[in-house]
Amino acid sequence: MTKKTTRNFRPATQLVHGGTLRSPFGETSEAIFLTQGFVYDSAEAAEARFKGEEPGFIYSRYANPTTDMFEKRMCVLEGAEDARATASGMAAVAAAILCQVRAGDHVLAARALFGSCRYVIETLLPKYGVDFTLIDGSKIENWEQAIRPNTKALFLESPTNPTLEVVDIAKVAAIANSVGAKLIVDNVFATPLFQKPLELGAHIVVYSATKHIDGQGRCLGGVILSDKEWIDENLHDYFRHTGPGLSPFNAWTLLKGLETLPLRVHQQTDSAGKLADFLAEHPNVARVIYPGRADHPQADIIAKQMSGGSTLIAFDLKGGKKAAFAFENALQVILISNNLGDSKSLITHPATTTHKNLSDEGRAEAGITDGMLRLSVGLEDVNDLIEDIEVALKAAG
Ligand SMILES: *Cc1c(COP(=O)(O)O)cnc(C)c1O
């Protein structure tokens, strides 16, 4: 039984009620259906369900009631027709790309990607005869020049990790359409609240739900959203037969995460804006990159395609690696971790952790300097965060 899912409620309401599937017990909270299989009232009923003539669940690798609630709630939030929830963000990225390509196809992607996304494109695709090109995605002419008649999929992240550059999604979507290719947007950094890639013309959106959607350090998860036709023709069978699906327990955790997503993301973004301004005024800071500030190099694109700033800030300390390490080690509240989107504030030194596998040249190209830190702002009192940063900046000299 579903309720309150058809009307056009505002996002905060949909994130509490959307997709709810109540059992005959009428439970308030979404139930966790920890079952692999389902039983049928008769042989005829089993036959009808397998033929797709009657609705219902068959096997949890295909679909599960708790996972289905998470998928439906994500669809309502994103404005997508259909979705598949996956065990991690990488399972979502890999499935979204692999399910639609074959040998001889070409994939075009922006170079500034999460490391594992680069592995899928640069290392995995060529093993199966799929060609790829990586470009600086911030320049629209690079997409125009690199697109080919056999380009099947385009992939980008915006804002990017860790330098928070943005890509003009509507323009890239138009370039994809010119050859009938599909644009996949990894929307993790923007969150589903601040950027709607499908409305901008993208065909497929992927998330690591591990980040803001859980946002409380509890579980991994991911989701792929698109129109029903693309999912039926490309992802449906791939998903059933390769088994990247999300566990029902994690789906339940993520459903609870969605209920508080707007509260957390708005609060974290509000604090991030204050911290970005504080950092920008400090003499030890060479540069601050924050999508909510007027001095962001692509503020015009941000105004066009994002409705909010970010929970993340990138900043460059004048003293290079030595200063960055001294800064991290002096922090009392903010924790050193490569995760992001969490209720706990987390700091990363990309050059020596998340992006250490890039060559020196690759890092320079990506704008990742030795003094750069990426801060994911949490739910602590912003004044405690400012004081923490103030002390650490002194220690960084
Ligand atoms: C974390 C992340 C992923 C991978 O997600 P997992 O849940 O860790 O597998 C993919 N893309 C971006 C932008 C991410 O931040």
Side-chain angles (χ1 to χ4, degrees):
M1 239 195 317
T2 48
K3 226 179 151 189
K4 303 177 173 169
T5 53
T6 44
R7 266 183 53 190
N8 225 2
F9 288 109
R10 292 166 185 83
T13 308
Q14 300 194 341
L15 285 168
V16 175
H17 293 288
T20 301
L21 199 63
R22 285 208 166 79
S23 84
F25 298 116
E27 62 281 351
T28 312
S29 172
E30 301 73 11
I32 309 176
F33 290 96
L34 287 177
T35 182
Q36 297 149 343
F38 301 86
V39 296
Y40 313 94
D41 288 339
S42 65
E44 289 77 13
E47 182 184 34
R49 206 170 292 176
F50 268 77
K51 277 187 175 166
E53 288 168 355
E54 266 180 25
F57 296 95
I58 294 174
Y59 190 55
S60 283
R61 170 153 41 78
Y62 298 1
N64 166 282
T66 312
T67 310
D68 187 67
M69 286 189 252
F70 172 63
E71 289 168 349
K72 289 209 163 72
R73 197 168 289 178
M74 282 302 306
C75 282
V76 177
L77 173 62
E78 197 70 40
E81 284 176 7
D82 206 358
R84 292 291 182 277
T86 55
S88 67
M90 280 322 302
V93 170
I97 296 175
L98 293 172
C99 77
Q100 60 175 319
V101 294
R102 64 178 69 223
D105 285 344
H106 173 247
V107 170
L108 173 58
R111 195 185 290 133
L113 291 182
F114 190 70
S116 299
C117 299
R118 280 192 66 149
Y119 166 83
V120 171
I121 290 167
E122 280 181 301
T123 308
L124 210 50
L125 290 181
K127 282 193 191 180
Y128 301 100
V130 178
D131 219 353
F132 73 91
T133 310
L134 290 176
I135 55 167
D136 171 359
S138 64
K139 297 193 177 67
I140 206 70
E141 58 273 23
N142 292 346
W143 296 93
E144 280 160 357
Q145 281 158 17
I147 192 105
R148 298 186 197 163
N150 64 334
T151 304
K152 192 71 188 279
L154 290 77
F155 186 87
L156 67 87
E157 210 178 287
S158 182
T160 61
N161 178 26
T163 52
L164 304 175
E165 272 184 1
V166 298
V167 182
D168 191 324
I169 295 173
K171 285 194 179 151
V172 177
I175 293 167
N177 286 336
S178 72
V179 297
K182 301 293 182 192
L183 171 61
I184 308 167
V185 174
D186 181 338
N187 207 37
V188 165
F189 273 57
T191 82
L193 297 175
F194 292 156
Q195 184 166 270
K196 304 280 185 202
L198 298 177
E199 285 174 15
L200 294 164
H203 307 93
I204 300 144
V205 182
V206 291
Y207 287 100
S208 164
T210 313
K211 310 296 164 56
H212 303 86
I213 293 173
D214 172 44
Q216 291 151 89
R218 300 170 296 191
C219 70
L220 296 173
V223 61
I224 306 165
L225 300 117
S226 187
D227 57 79
K228 199 169 171 334
E229 188 187 333
W230 182 84
I231 290 195
D232 284 349
E233 284 176 11
N234 295 276
L235 186 60
H236 181 80
D237 287 349
Y238 179 97
F239 186 87
R240 284 188 165 207
H241 303 305
T242 64
L246 181 66
S247 99
F249 185 84
N250 289 357
W252 178 82
T253 309
L254 297 172
L255 276 162
K256 294 289 127 189
L258 284 176
E259 292 183 347
T260 58
L261 182 75
L263 289 174
R264 288 182 288 107
V265 168
H266 286 128
Q267 179 61 48
Q268 288 168 232
T269 303
D270 196 49
S271 296
K274 290 184 179 134
L275 294 179
D277 291 344
F278 175 79
L279 284 162
E281 309 231 310
H282 200 280
N284 293 353
V285 177
R287 188 165 71 118
V288 171
I289 313 167
Y290 183 68
R293 275 177 63 87
D295 62 1
H296 189 288
Q298 298 151 297
D300 53 330
I301 303 174
I302 291 168
K304 219 172 52 172
Q305 70 184 28
M306 291 182 74
S307 61
S310 177
T311 65
L312 290 125
I313 308 166
F315 60 100
D316 210 346
L317 290 181
K318 281 180 182 162
K321 178 180 168 184
K322 195 160 166 275
F325 273 32
F327 179 89
E328 284 193 304
N329 291 333
L331 292 166
Q332 299 279 315
V333 180
I334 300 166
L335 305 170
I336 302 170
S337 170
N338 45 283
N339 199 9
L340 63 96
D342 201 270
S343 55
K344 293 177 171 56
S345 291
L346 305 173
I347 195 141
T348 309
H349 184 246
T352 53
T353 60
T354 53
H355 292 70
K356 74 165 175 36
N357 289 340
L358 289 184
S359 61
D360 291 349
E361 210 176 53
R363 264 195 303 279
E365 254 172 18
I368 302 166
T369 55
D370 287 344
M372 176 173 281
L373 291 162
R374 187 197 73 194
L375 174 61
S376 169
V377 179
L379 289 173
E380 301 93 342
D381 189 305
V382 69
N383 296 307
D384 286 326
L385 295 175
I386 289 176
E387 285 168 25
D388 202 30
I389 288 174
E390 203 166 19
V391 171
L393 281 170
K394 254 189 218 133

